[in-house]
Amino acid sequence: MKVKSVHCLPPEAPVGIPNKGNTCYLNSVIQMMTVCGEYEQYKGSPLLPFFNALRKGHVIPAVPRILVARSFREFNNHRQHDAHEYLLRLLETTETCGASNLFDGTFEVTVHFPDCNHSNVHIEPFRTLSMETGPDLESAFRSFLSPVHVQSTCDTCNDGTTKPANRHLRVQTWPTYLIIHFKRFTNRLAKKKDRIQIPSAWRDYNLYATVQHIGNTSQSGHYTACVKKKKKWYLCNDNKVIGLEERHVLRAAEGSYMVLYCKK
């Protein structure tokens, strides 16, 4: 009889989080956030006691669920939810203590009006970059920044007239933790399964986590996360945690729904 060898995970490995009924979206987001040390240990955060207990193996998944559900009633149920939407709401709940600032960046937005030749510039905040898929991350990002035709009013003319314009984006400030969300679900909830090359290092960042969605629609399927702890990668599938080689992580990341990069 063949006996499979059992490999014990090191102490720094993620602690599995049990699925309490369609909570894989929550579990995968929480696992992603555990690699963000400054966020996880942010003084005054309502999640600090939860993260402290989680590291010791005391898993209370109801805490992050209730924290969001109290402020956002659409999450006050046991249905499947979108992991990106939950992430944004989770970060809103930790705004007041300042923890969410670690994910905040800004765009410089330039709106040019060919009709009057004026260009209006303003600053817009962002918390995640939501972009279409592409052959690779850099191509997807460049497409995301490409000019878009819009209808707007010119602040310089200030005549209240709506007219054609070209809108340009430039990242002015980059966050400590950069989360990129790929628009994989159409308005009809169908899923786009394009594969995209995700590098282990991109610009001034290193890859530390990915979230995958397995399924065909945003209202069904299953979420998992891959996270990096002390140079080792792990697959977190609810309460199951296994070690992975980086090449397998990068392969899985080609179909990712979200990726998280930490500044070098």
Side-chain angles (χ1 to χ4, degrees):
M1 183 178 69
K2 292 182 179 180
V3 179
K4 295 182 179 179
S5 60
V6 177
H7 299 279
C8 294
L9 295 174
E12 67 270 13
V15 177
I17 304 175
N19 191 319
K20 294 299 184 178
N22 293 323
T23 57
C24 58
Y25 70 93
L26 180 153
N27 295 348
S28 62
V29 168
I30 292 299
Q31 294 289 13
M32 179 173 69
M33 303 305 271
T34 63
V35 307
C36 306
E38 293 172 85
Y39 179 79
E40 186 189 33
Q41 289 297 296
Y42 203 90
K43 187 177 180 180
S45 169
L47 284 173
L48 182 58
F50 166 79
F51 282 127
N52 286 339
L54 182 63
R55 281 197 309 279
K56 297 175 183 176
H58 304 304
V59 188
I60 314 174
V63 172
R65 189 190 74 79
I66 293 172
L67 180 66
V68 170
R70 281 175 178 168
S71 300
F72 303 96
R73 297 184 63 185
E74 65 269 28
F75 287 94
N76 191 19
N77 52 62
H78 294 283
R79 297 195 296 268
Q80 175 73 292
H81 291 283
D82 182 275
H84 180 242
E85 291 178 1
Y86 174 77
L87 167 69
L88 294 176
R89 298 295 174 260
L90 182 70
L91 289 174
E92 285 188 55
T93 65
T94 55
E95 277 182 344
T96 54
C97 69
S100 300
N101 296 344
L102 295 161
F103 300 85
D104 290 344
T106 58
F107 292 124
E108 180 185 82
V109 184
T110 301
V111 182
H112 178 72
F113 297 86
D115 180 58
C116 60
N117 204 31
H118 290 146
S119 291
N120 301 155
V121 181
H122 65 277
I123 305 302
E124 287 184 8
F126 70 84
R127 187 154 281 170
T128 65
L129 297 181
S130 291
M131 60 181 71
E132 301 290 345
T133 57
D136 55 69
L137 178 56
E138 184 65 26
S139 298
F141 179 66
R142 290 186 180 278
S143 179
F144 172 74
L145 294 181
S146 61
V148 177
H149 299 298
V150 298
Q151 295 286 326
S152 185
T153 56
C154 176
D155 294 340
T156 306
C157 294
N158 197 27
D159 57 6
T161 303
T162 301
K163 49 191 174 183
N166 297 313
R167 184 174 184 264
H168 302 256
L169 286 180
R170 183 182 70 85
V171 177
Q172 183 187 58
T173 58
W174 293 83
T176 301
Y177 300 111
L178 174 66
I179 295 178
I180 299 172
H181 158 247
F182 295 110
K183 298 179 180 179
R184 290 198 174 274
F185 299 111
T186 67
N187 291 335
R188 295 184 179 181
L189 305 181
K191 182 179 175 183
K192 296 183 287 185
K193 298 184 179 181
D194 314 35
R195 301 194 72 81
I196 175 172
Q197 294 291 322
I198 301 295
S200 58
W202 185 69
R203 300 192 174 225
D204 294 327
Y205 292 89
N206 286 323
L207 182 68
Y208 267 79
T210 70
V211 170
Q212 293 72 231
H213 175 269
I214 305 164
N216 297 315
T217 73
S218 62
Q219 296 182 332
S220 63
H222 183 63
Y223 287 100
T224 63
C226 294
V227 299
K228 189 177 184 180
K229 296 285 186 91
K230 293 192 175 180
K231 299 182 180 181
K232 294 182 179 180
W233 281 96
Y234 302 89
L235 170 65
C236 302
N237 184 359
D238 289 332
N239 61 330
K240 299 177 182 177
V241 177
I242 61 172
L244 288 180
E245 294 181 21
E246 185 176 271
R247 60 191 178 94
H248 294 140
V249 173
L250 295 179
R251 178 61 179 169
E254 292 178 8
S256 58
Y257 185 47
M258 291 188 287
V259 295
L260 180 143
Y261 282 89
C262 301
K263 269 196 173 177
K264 295 178 181 178

